[in-house]
Every structure is written in C-alpha cells, then in structure tokens.
Amino acid sequence: MSGRLLRLVCTAAVAAGTVLAPLPAAAVPEPSPAPEGRSVSQLLTDLQRLYREAEQATETYNGTAEKLKKQRADVDRLDRELARVRLSLHDSRGAAGRLARQQYQNSTDISPYVRLLLARDPQQALDEGHVIGQLARERAETVGRLTGTEKKAGELAREARKALDGQLSLAARQKKERDEVEKRLTDVEELLVSLSPEQVAAVSKLEQDGVAKAQQHFMASGAPAAESEPSREGDRAVRYAVQQLGKPYEWGAEGPASYDCSGLTSQAWEHAGLPIPRTSQEQWARLPRVPVKELRPGDLVIYFPEATHVAMYLGAGMVVQAPRTGERVKVSPVASYPILGAVRPDGAQAPVTEAR
C-alpha cells in the first residue's frame, strides 16, 4: 500500500472515530452472572453465531433481491417487445385485408391466358398479368408475415406470463427471507438487552483478544508475503470505501447513507468503473481468486465457510468493512473473522507501478 494511500486511510479512520487495530486489553469489571448461567465465552459464541446467521440471511435476501431486479427488467423488456409485435400484427392484418379486397374487386372467371388471347392490346394484358402476379406474391408474403407475427406474439405472451409468475414467486421468497433476517436480528437484540454493561464489556474484551491472537498468527504466517501496489481501479475502489468510514451498517443497504458488507464492496468497485456481483457468495463464486499471501489493496477478503461476509483489503494486514448490525464502516484487522479466501475483481489489471 502506498504511503499516500495509507495516510489517507489513517486520516479518514481518525476522522470517523475508528481504530486501526484492536485496543489494548483494559481492566474490565468483574462480570455479573451470565443469563441462564452461561459463561462469557458462551455468550460470545452465542452472539457470534447469531450475527453470522443474521448476515447469512441478509446475503440470501440480497441475492434474491438482485434476481428480482433482473426478473423485473425481463418482464419490462418482454412487455415492450410484445407491444411492438402486436402493433406489427395489427399492420399485417390491415395489409392482408387490403389485398383481400383488391383481389375480390379484380376477380374474374376468365383465366389470364384467355384474357391475353382476347385482348385488343396484348402488351397491356401482359402488364395487367404482371400486376396480378405481383399482387399475389405480396399477398402470400403478407399472409406469411402475419402467420409468423401471430406465432411470435403468442410465444412472447407466454414468456411474459412465465416471467411475471417468476417475479411474483421471487417477491414472495424475498418477503420470507426479509422476515428471516428480521427474526435473526431480533434474536441478537434480545441477547444484547439481556446483558449487563459489565457482561457487554467482558464479551467485547474476549472478542478483541481473540481477534488480536488471530491477527498475530496471520501476520506471523507471512501472509501477505510483501506489500503490493493496487491497480488504478483498485486504488479508486479503496478510496471510495475509505470515504464511507463511520457510516452505519444496515442490512440490504448499498449506500450512500449506510451499507451492509457486500453493499460496500460492490459499490466501491462500481464507482471504480468495474461492476461486480452484489453478494459475498457471488463475489466468491464468480471473481478471480488470489492466494491470501498475494493480497493487494482493493482485493476482497471473504470470510466463513459459507462466504457470508466480505471486506476490502487496504494493506498492512488491514481491511475496511461494514461489520455487522449496530456497528459502522471501519478499518479492522484482516483476521477479524475466519478467512475463507480472497478474490481480485480487477484480476487482469496490472498494479499501478507496472502499468506506467
């Protein structure tokens, strides 16, 4: 990470009231007995499980919301196409009707060959025959176009109905998943409300100690082995993410007032000019993966076996993230959660120093 970019991160972090590393262990009052006889470590385990379940439900909701957005766009596109085809069908039917009237008005029992023999002016008869033949061909083409347009209109109508059914099904699923998120968040709130201030402090200290230990192990492992410069797009993504420091976490939010974890990372890369998938699971599944030892600023660090959390790497073993409900966008140690792996949205782009 360049010194200039690192200074930007530090300045923004201080202005937002965030910390760049876990606070030193402070004296914590002796905690009151835990609810239902649970120890502080059990309380932390329960809280972390609830937070994780809430985030997993949030990312599932986000994925369905993204599919619903695309499904609505498909329905709108099919409706517009169907309207155009119906207009074309109306024009084709009008043309067919005009040709039918023309044929009726010009109909005769005398064959064109006999008319040619009886005609005073054979050339005129030949010209009339040519006109009649042309009208017949036009009628055949119009009927063929009408038949094809009717078939296409029927297919589009069926597609539109199917797309609408899919949209309604997704909307119902989205509501169910939204209710699941709200239930998980309620479970978190109920557990937090049940804790005394001393218990909250004890749980917080235990969590910080765990993060500090995990971070120490991570850095000692030599990952990343050396600091790398970001690409131009990565630099822009990092700058955008750092500018959001201090803004609140909100599930399903994509800014600009609040974010969830993947809302922050997807918006940062979109503002860098490289749109990426909306959810952490899709980011993990579809973006180029890189070894954790080769992390560079702008890369996305994915957490937990189910890929339910994501943060953006800043350099020096730190990430910027929208952590969880009740917290704000902040700079944290990269090992704040169990790391699944890393992806690089701009995998084909060279670092700035190499691109010059």
Side-chain angles (χ1 to χ4, degrees):
M1 187 177 193
S2 67
R4 183 178 174 188
L5 188 55
L6 184 56
R7 286 195 298 275
L8 169 69
V9 172
C10 293
T11 302
V14 171
T18 59
V19 293
L20 296 180
L23 294 172
V28 179
E30 188 67 28
S32 307
E36 302 175 5
R38 282 177 288 182
S39 67
V40 172
S41 62
Q42 288 173 326
L43 287 174
L44 177 58
T45 299
D46 289 346
L47 264 174
Q48 289 175 335
R49 174 181 56 79
L50 291 173
Y51 277 126
R52 184 175 169 185
E53 288 175 352
E55 191 151 48
Q56 186 168 1
T58 297
E59 290 299 276
T60 302
Y61 169 88
N62 288 338
T64 301
E66 198 69 11
K67 289 177 184 175
L68 182 56
K69 189 189 300 181
K70 292 177 182 176
Q71 192 70 64
R72 283 172 176 158
D74 285 344
V75 170
D76 290 343
R77 175 184 58 78
L78 286 169
D79 283 346
R80 289 193 299 271
E81 191 173 351
L82 182 57
R84 285 195 298 270
V85 169
R86 282 175 172 163
L87 181 62
S88 175
L89 181 60
H90 178 270
D91 293 343
S92 294
R93 282 176 174 157
R98 286 192 299 274
L99 285 174
R101 287 193 297 275
Q102 267 184 318
Q103 186 186 38
Y104 175 77
Q105 291 165 358
N106 295 330
S107 63
T108 176
D109 292 333
I110 303 176
S111 71
Y113 176 70
V114 173
R115 284 184 6 198
L116 178 62
L117 291 176
L118 298 177
R120 293 181 180 179
D121 186 346
Q123 184 59 48
Q124 181 182 358
L126 286 170
D127 291 343
E128 288 177 355
H130 172 73
V131 170
I132 292 171
Q134 181 65 27
L135 286 174
R137 285 192 295 275
E138 287 181 7
R139 182 177 182 279
E141 290 172 1
T142 301
V143 170
R145 188 169 64 249
L146 174 62
T147 303
T149 304
E150 283 181 327
K151 182 179 178 181
K152 186 175 181 181
E155 290 172 353
L156 280 172
R158 285 190 292 274
E159 282 186 47
R161 283 194 296 271
K162 184 178 178 181
L164 181 59
D165 289 343
Q167 179 181 334
L168 295 173
S169 175
L170 279 172
R173 198 168 97 199
Q174 184 187 38
K175 181 182 182 303
K176 181 180 178 182
E177 288 165 359
R178 181 194 63 199
D179 294 343
E180 179 65 18
V181 175
E182 291 174 345
K183 176 185 179 301
R184 297 297 184 188
L185 293 177
T186 299
D187 292 341
V188 173
E189 291 167 1
E190 288 176 351
L191 180 54
L192 288 172
V193 167
S194 72
L195 302 180
S196 68
E198 293 83 5
Q199 288 166 344
V200 171
V203 167
S204 178
K205 179 183 181 302
L206 186 60
E207 185 172 35
Q208 283 186 3
D209 289 346
V211 171
K213 184 177 179 181
Q215 182 73 0
Q216 184 179 11
H217 176 75
F218 177 84
M219 298 306 289
S221 70
E227 290 302 319
S228 301
E229 292 291 326
S231 66
R232 286 188 174 85
E233 291 82 1
D235 183 76
R236 286 196 290 267
V238 167
R239 289 175 184 275
Y240 178 87
V242 167
Q243 289 168 0
Q244 313 313 310
L245 287 171
K247 292 185 178 180
Y249 176 99
E250 180 184 354
W251 66 269
E254 299 178 79
S258 57
Y259 296 87
D260 63 18
C261 68
S262 57
L264 176 65
T265 55
S266 60
Q267 285 299 303
W269 274 101
E270 183 167 329
H271 280 76
L274 186 60
I276 64 174
R278 168 64 175 88
T279 68
S280 57
Q281 289 101 331
E282 284 295 295
Q283 290 168 8
W284 174 244
R286 293 168 55 189
L287 297 177
R289 297 183 185 180
V290 293
V292 175
K293 289 188 176 183
E294 297 177 12
L295 279 170
R296 75 184 188 195
D299 289 349
L300 304 183
V301 182
I302 311 295
Y303 298 94
F304 301 113
E306 302 85 2
T308 50
H309 187 70
V310 60
M312 180 177 290
Y313 190 66
L314 296 177
M318 309 303 290
V319 294
V320 58
Q321 63 167 327
R324 60 195 183 196
T325 186
E327 295 195 27
R328 295 178 177 273
V329 177
K330 66 180 183 179
V331 175
S332 310
V334 67
S336 295
Y337 304 104
I339 296 174
L340 174 62
V343 294
R344 180 167 293 164
D346 57 338
Q349 302 299 319
V352 172
T353 53
E354 296 177 14
R356 288 172 181 163

